[in-house]
Amino acid sequence: MKLSVNVCNIRLSNPTILASGILGTTKALLKRVAESGAGAVTIKSVSTEPREGHKNPTVITFDAGMLNAVGYSNPGVVAAAKEFASLQDVGVPVIASVIGTQKEDFVRVVAGLSGSEFSAIEIPLSCPHTPGFGLLAGQGTPQATFDITSAVRKATELPIFVKLSPNIPEICAVAKAAEDAGANAITAVNSMGPGMIINIEAQKPILSFKVGGVTGDALRPIAIRCVYDLYKAVKIPVIGVGGISTGRHAIEMIMAGASAVGIGTGVYYRGIEVFKRVCEEMTLWMEENGFDDVNKIRGVAHD
Amino acid sequence: MIEQPRMVKICDIWDESPSVKTFFFKFDLHFDPGQFVMVWIPLLDEKPFTISYIRNDLMGVSVLKRGMFTNALHNKKIGDMIGIRGPYGKGFGLQTNPDFCVVGGGIGMASLATVVDRLNDATIIQGARTASEILYQKRFKDMNLCTDDGTTGFKGTTVDLFRKLLTRRRFQKVYACGPEKMLYKVVELCRNHGIECEVSLDRYIKCGFGVCGQCDCSGQRVCVDGPVFNIKELSKMKDFGKVTILKTGARVVY
């Protein structure tokens, strides 16, 4: 059974990738996720300066997923470069997630991480809950996406993944802007919303930032649709993220057109072992349905 | 386990020391000694606290007044509401047979109190800055006390007192909670004496259920893989006793 895939010339032993923002705070945790079966891992997003993020509660769950507004807490690029040194120890490709409030910040962070052995740079232009970043800074428009991606393109030779929001009706236009600016892959999608959960006894929103990005089961059908549309709209590979926690979900996402699948909230549903279990379940499904190579199911949902 | 805060009424408040109060509330979920809950004050913040009392259908958390959040909690009155979610984490592995000792430093004693409740004939070592900060004086008899200023018990550290006790006592198992430098030394002593040991660690906690990565200690998530770790697990955790992680994710040396 062949589970290995190739994304922008990065070889993944299987199509599962740890999505950014989950467990990617330290190299030790990345290594643990790799040992738990992930084909690649993504670090928690890094900005130029250290950020404390929002106050708690920052992450809560509900019956159809998770709501988070962590607020991009991270130690800043200098400390991150130290933390994520000698990345070959991790054992699988490591993707750097880079954020900024303006395009110059992205370039500075990419430069600051250039001494580390990252396999790709991901730029999420789509966070729905952090002032100054992503959607709240207007980075999700085709023009802003083009400008930031172009600036990062000049700053690195590594593959660039542009991570998009599911909220935007013209997601394909944004993806094309990224492709035109030299992006090598689209990561679809970031969390949706923002949403809100109110504790009715407290009579107040639970998250300290009041609103947060929605992930998990609630996001999956939307993520599948986005990937399905993007697969036809752009020539570069699409990494499908959103609500994947089982092998069947992963197969579904690949049928929509994904070259690889990101897993985040799945860690909540099924523990760190989710990566291994998704791969086992994919293998089983493929055996039962007469497939010997995961690459042969990519995009089969299309006419 | 519940993962959205449930609002509960504070039904009792005890002064344990000038800087520590215990807040009691009704919360009818199963709880293992060493597990923790997240306490939420709406619009303010949310922090982890170990359960320090189980009294009939009441649970209690002992809170040291230390920062903005704990100050706000100390200002709460009986009848006020707080949010609780949990319990979270892996608690202490309790065995009924061995001769065991609990070693608590400062507010760390709160984490060990329910261990003492569950097991009979505990040898208790408790250290505090000064006599008035010793916790649970009426609750536990015959504690081996030490203070930094010598106002009660042995003048010196918990580690010194533990070391002294080891010259005349033999323990099969030690449970410890307190400042991590202290825990590091307790674990070292236990290793040298061939004593089983479990300690409860403190890290900045966000989600509480193992997804955010904030509470990492050498690849272990303190919120779900811990907060209690045994000597074997600790021997693989290079950050133990040496490095903690700030709210930003920055690593700092103790």
Side-chain angles (χ1 to χ4, degrees):
Chain A
M1 183 64 60
K2 187 178 179 233
L3 280 189
S4 64
V5 296
N6 197 304
V7 183
C8 310
N9 287 323
I10 306 163
R11 190 187 173 277
L12 275 57
S13 62
N14 70 67
T16 66
I17 301 177
L18 172 70
S20 182
I22 303 284
L23 297 177
T25 47
T26 66
K27 190 173 122 181
L29 276 174
L30 294 180
K31 193 163 178 246
R32 183 161 172 205
V33 172
E35 285 162 359
S36 303
V41 292
T42 316
I43 65 169
K44 183 158 173 58
S45 304
V46 173
S47 55
T48 54
E49 304 302 322
R51 290 178 52 84
E52 287 201 341
H54 299 313
K55 285 204 166 85
N56 276 346
T58 46
V59 190
I60 52 170
T61 60
F62 64 108
D63 40 13
M66 212 161 77
L67 192 69
N68 93 83
V70 172
Y72 281 144
S73 55
N74 80 91
V77 65
V78 175
K82 261 193 214 164
E83 176 64 31
F84 300 110
S86 309
L87 286 176
Q88 64 277 5
D89 301 346
V90 174
V92 301
V94 182
I95 301 156
S97 180
V98 170
I99 52 169
T101 55
Q102 48 196 348
K103 62 184 179 191
E104 291 78 12
D105 292 350
F106 287 87
V107 170
R108 278 167 62 199
V109 176
V110 167
L113 297 178
S114 62
S116 307
E117 296 96 346
F118 286 107
S119 297
I121 304 287
E122 181 168 275
I123 47 175
L125 306 178
S126 41
C127 174
H129 53 73
T130 309
F133 296 86
L135 294 189
L136 301 191
Q139 294 174 351
T141 66
Q143 188 60 49
T145 298
F146 182 86
D147 292 346
I148 295 168
T149 309
S150 300
V152 175
R153 180 71 289 160
K154 290 190 191 92
T156 183
E157 290 182 354
L158 290 175
I160 299 170
F161 303 169
V162 178
K163 189 170 185 177
L164 303 183
S165 168
N167 294 7
I168 299 172
E170 69 277 20
I171 187 167
C172 291
V174 183
K176 277 185 196 152
E179 186 178 35
D180 290 345
N184 303 86
I186 300 295
T187 306
V189 290
N190 207 320
S191 60
M192 67 175 170
M196 178 184 284
I197 295 175
I198 293 168
N199 181 301
I200 61 173
E201 281 73 35
Q203 303 169 25
K204 292 288 177 287
I206 298 175
L207 292 179
S208 77
F209 191 61
K210 299 186 174 65
V211 301
V214 179
T215 59
D217 286 338
L219 176 58
R220 191 172 56 256
I222 292 164
I224 297 281
R225 184 267 299 164
C226 289
V227 169
Y228 185 90
D229 288 349
L230 289 165
Y231 181 69
K232 280 286 161 70
V234 294
K235 293 188 186 67
I236 53 179
V238 180
I239 297 161
V241 197
I244 294 172
S245 61
T246 69
R248 293 185 68 87
H249 298 157
I251 299 265
E252 183 184 358
M253 188 60 100
I254 293 168
M255 285 183 170
S259 293
V261 296
I263 296 179
T265 305
V267 172
Y268 161 67
Y269 289 118
R270 304 183 77 190
I272 294 189
E273 304 71 31
V274 64
F275 300 93
K276 203 165 278 169
R277 291 164 81 177
V278 164
C279 290
E280 286 165 4
E281 289 158 4
M282 286 177 74
T283 302
L284 202 64
W285 187 91
M286 285 162 61
E287 275 169 10
E288 282 171 358
N289 290 276
F291 290 96
D292 60 357
D293 180 354
V294 71
N295 294 285
K296 290 182 185 163
I297 59 174
R298 182 173 312 118
V300 298
H302 291 263
D303 301 335
Chain B
M1 186 169 71
I2 55 162
E3 283 167 1
Q4 277 188 17
R6 182 198 294 174
M7 297 308 288
V8 297
K9 194 175 278 178
I10 297 171
C11 19
D12 206 355
I13 300 174
W14 289 2
D15 289 319
E16 306 283 5
S17 82
S19 62
V20 177
K21 284 183 182 180
T22 299
F23 299 86
F24 289 94
F25 50 87
K26 269 191 189 158
F27 198 72
D28 53 359
L29 291 181
H30 174 80
F31 163 82
D32 291 328
Q35 287 191 296
F36 66 94
V37 291
M38 297 297 287
V39 177
W40 177 47
I41 300 179
L43 303 181
L44 190 69
D45 208 334
E46 188 192 43
K47 300 276 179 192
F49 295 95
T50 190
I51 298 287
S52 60
Y53 279 89
I54 302 173
R55 234 178 80 199
N56 303 320
D57 58 341
L58 296 187
M59 281 188 173
V61 291
S62 299
V63 177
L64 169 70
K65 196 155 101 175
R66 183 158 83 171
M68 187 258 299
F69 182 85
T70 49
N71 263 296
L73 206 47
H74 270 242
N75 290 332
K76 296 277 179 201
K77 306 275 179 286
I78 292 173
D80 287 350
M81 306 286 280
I82 50 174
I84 301 286
R85 62 183 175 100
Y88 291 121
K90 187 186 70 164
F92 290 100
L94 300 187
Q95 292 155 313
T96 45
N97 47 337
D99 191 7
F100 70 94
C101 178
V102 303
V103 184
I107 192 64
M109 193 60 210
S111 192
L112 300 164
T114 53
V115 174
V116 178
D117 286 342
R118 289 280 177 92
L119 301 175
N120 298 319
D121 305 323
T123 299
I124 304 169
I125 296 175
Q126 187 186 168
R129 243 178 347 96
T130 187
S132 62
E133 291 298 333
I134 293 285
L135 301 175
Y136 315 132
Q137 302 221 49
K138 286 183 193 141
R139 182 177 180 186
F140 302 128
K141 304 280 173 259
D142 306 321
M143 289 192 281
N144 298 276
L145 301 178
C146 60
T147 47
D148 294 346
D149 60 6
T151 42
T152 191
F154 173 79
K155 183 173 192 283
T157 67
T158 349
V159 177
D160 292 335
L161 184 54
F162 178 51
R163 190 184 289 114
K164 211 173 118 194
L165 216 60
L166 282 176
T167 60
R168 57 187 171 84
R169 284 288 305 276
R170 173 96 193 124
F171 300 109
Q172 284 184 44
K173 185 148 186 180
V174 167
Y175 301 96
C177 187
E180 204 157 306
K181 279 236 178 272
M182 169 203 123
L183 296 179
Y184 188 82
K185 288 176 186 161
V186 168
V187 166
E188 247 181 1
L189 278 170
C190 288
R191 194 175 281 130
N192 294 339
H193 285 78
I195 305 169
E196 271 186 71
C197 180
E198 290 185 14
V199 309
S200 177
L201 302 187
D202 178 36
R203 285 291 182 279
Y204 195 94
I205 285 179
K206 284 183 182 170
C207 71
F209 43 80
V211 302
C212 77
Q214 170 69 38
C215 62
D216 169 65
C217 182
S218 301
Q220 298 296 309
R221 297 161 297 173
V222 168
C223 72
V224 292
D225 301 315
V228 175
F229 294 97
N230 64 33
I231 211 161
K232 199 175 150 199
E233 293 164 329
L234 292 164
S235 65
K236 293 179 203 147
M237 293 159 65
K238 284 184 189 144
D239 286 354
F240 169 57
K242 300 201 167 63
V243 175
T244 192
I245 294 183
L246 302 178
K247 203 173 172 181
T248 58
R251 295 160 68 80
V252 284
V253 175
Y254 274 115

